[in-house]
């Protein structure tokens, strides 16, 4: 009888352990399935949120339109927010005629500064420039960002004039008093390209008009009318007038190199 009771207790204990293991396995299985479902729901919710945001942003871009400039938009310091392209272009063109009616570029030659009047050579296509700003800032997928930027920081653009007729600048250079400066050198020295050049004989420098016009074009394209630079530094061409010798002393290597040139 005692053996039967012990066997019965052992069997019940084993059955209880088996049921507990089965329950644990089913619990873990259910927990894993629940975790997988939650992960799927989370991914689906992210995808739906992203789709909703894209659709919402596209609706904003569609509602903004592209007929007028954003509010808080300035061009050349003028407030043009809410204007159409033609209106903004007219305001900028009026400002151009007013501000650039008399403007010059200053150059220096032999410690004297000369002003070249370039106002007659300047031109500006205001409508084309404003239209480019409008097109760039109102491309479809950029409209929402542009609207937010205008509400917060605002937008600022600069439009610079360009050279419409280079011949006017050439005429201004050739009629300038700096063309009358005596640039002959005899038994002297000059600094060229970081070299000290000692001249024994006679020669002359001539202003390179083409290089000067190119430099002025670059300066105007950047809207820089305040920089004064020395013509001697890069815009002169050496002309020999008779037999001469030049001695070039390099600043960098500190050695003497002799060159001989004939007319």
């Amino acid at each position: 009888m005692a053996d039967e009771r012990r066997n019965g207790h052992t069997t019940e204990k084993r059955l209880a352990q088996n049921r507990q293991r089965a329950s644990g396995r089913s619990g873990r299985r259910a927990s894993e399935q629940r975790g997988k479902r939650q992960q799927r729901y989370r991914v689906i919710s992210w995808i739906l949120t992203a789709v909703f945001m894209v659709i919402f942003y596209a609706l904003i871009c569609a509602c903004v339109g592209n007929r007028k400039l954003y509010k808080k938009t300035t061009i050349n310091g003028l407030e043009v927010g809410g204007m159409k392209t033609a209106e903004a272009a007219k305001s900028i063109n009026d400002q151009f005629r007013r501000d650039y009616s008399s403007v010059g570029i200053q150059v220096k030659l032999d410690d004297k500064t000369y002003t070249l009047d370039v106002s007659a050579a300047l031109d500006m296509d205001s409508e084309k420039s404003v239209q480019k700003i409008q097109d760039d800032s109102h491309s479809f997928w950029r409209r929402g960002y542009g609207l937010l930027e205008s509400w917060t920081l605002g937008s600022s653009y600069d439009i610079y004039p360009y050279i419409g007729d280079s011949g006017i600048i050439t005429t201004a250079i050739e009629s300038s008093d700096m063309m009358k400066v005596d640039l002959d050198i005899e038994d002297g020295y000059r600094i060229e390209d970081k070299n000290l050049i000692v001249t024994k004989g006679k020669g002359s420098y001539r202003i390179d008009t083409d290089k000067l016009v190119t430099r002025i074009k670059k300066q105007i394209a950047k809207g820089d009318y305040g920089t004064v630079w020395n013509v001697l530094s890069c815009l002169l061409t050496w002309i020999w007038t008779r037999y001469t010798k030049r001695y070039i002393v390099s600043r960098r290597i500190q050695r003497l190199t002799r060159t001989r040139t004939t007319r």
Side-chain angles (χ1 to χ4, degrees):
M1 292 293 291
D3 291 338
E4 289 179 359
R5 283 197 211 96
R6 279 197 298 272
N7 291 335
H9 287 310
T10 303
T11 302
E12 289 178 2
K13 186 176 180 180
R14 289 177 179 173
L15 290 174
Q17 289 175 348
N18 291 336
R19 283 196 298 269
Q20 189 175 4
R21 284 200 217 63
S23 176
R25 283 196 296 269
S26 62
R28 284 196 298 274
R29 201 176 298 115
S31 177
E32 290 174 358
Q33 291 176 351
R34 191 164 48 250
K36 290 180 180 179
R37 282 197 300 269
Q38 290 176 349
Q39 187 176 3
R40 283 198 297 267
Y41 293 153
R42 194 177 298 115
V43 172
I44 292 172
S45 65
W46 287 344
I47 294 173
L48 292 177
T49 301
V51 171
F52 172 77
M53 293 298 293
V54 170
I55 294 173
F56 180 71
Y57 183 78
L59 289 174
I60 293 176
C61 293
C63 293
V64 169
N66 62 350
R67 297 182 62 188
K68 295 182 179 181
L69 293 164
Y70 299 119
K71 294 186 181 299
K72 295 184 181 180
T73 297
T74 59
I75 300 178
N76 290 356
L78 289 176
E79 178 61 46
V80 293
M83 291 186 183
K84 294 182 179 180
T85 300
E87 296 176 273
K90 183 179 182 305
S91 298
I92 294 167
N93 198 48
D94 291 342
Q95 182 200 48
F96 163 69
R97 291 178 180 176
R98 182 177 64 253
D99 294 349
Y100 292 89
S101 60
S102 179
V103 65
I105 295 292
Q106 292 185 321
V107 295
K108 192 174 182 180
L109 179 62
D110 276 357
D111 297 326
K112 187 175 180 180
T113 302
Y114 300 86
T115 300
L116 303 175
D117 186 0
V118 297
S119 53
L122 299 180
D123 198 0
M124 177 183 284
D125 192 340
S126 303
E127 188 165 356
K128 182 179 179 181
S129 300
V130 175
Q131 187 62 56
K132 186 177 185 307
I133 293 174
Q134 176 84 338
D135 293 341
D136 291 345
S137 61
H138 283 72
S139 59
F140 184 82
W141 290 108
R142 195 186 182 282
R143 294 177 192 173
Y145 171 77
L147 181 64
L148 178 62
E149 183 183 39
S150 69
W151 283 351
T152 54
L153 303 175
S155 302
S156 180
Y157 303 92
D158 290 312
I159 300 174
Y160 299 123
Y162 56 87
I163 299 297
D165 187 354
S166 301
I168 296 176
I169 296 182
T170 303
T171 302
I173 295 171
E174 292 175 348
S175 61
S176 173
D177 289 340
M178 70 177 175
M179 299 297 288
K180 302 175 184 177
V181 177
D182 184 10
L183 298 176
D184 290 343
I185 294 180
E186 187 169 0
D187 292 342
Y189 71 90
R190 187 176 296 278
I191 296 175
E192 272 186 24
D193 297 330
K194 298 183 179 181
N195 292 323
L196 175 63
I197 300 178
V198 181
T199 304
K200 181 65 177 177
K202 186 177 181 180
S204 177
Y205 279 94
R206 176 179 62 83
I207 296 176
D208 193 324
T209 306
D210 293 336
K211 287 184 179 180
L212 185 53
V213 171
T214 301
R215 174 65 69 88
I216 291 174
K217 281 184 176 181
K218 292 179 179 179
Q219 192 167 337
I220 289 175
K222 295 186 293 185
D224 180 8
Y225 296 87
T227 301
V228 181
W229 35 271
N230 198 334
V231 177
L232 293 179
S233 63
C234 59
L235 300 177
L236 295 181
T237 300
W238 179 260
I239 301 173
W240 299 110
T241 56
R242 65 180 175 82
Y243 173 82
T244 185
K245 296 177 183 178
R246 302 177 80 201
Y247 299 88
I248 303 177
V249 184
S250 174
R251 285 181 174 180
R252 291 179 180 174
I253 60 177
Q254 294 295 317
R255 71 182 185 185
L256 183 66
T257 304
R258 173 174 162 177
T259 62
R260 179 173 178 177
T261 309
T262 58
R263 185 178 177 181

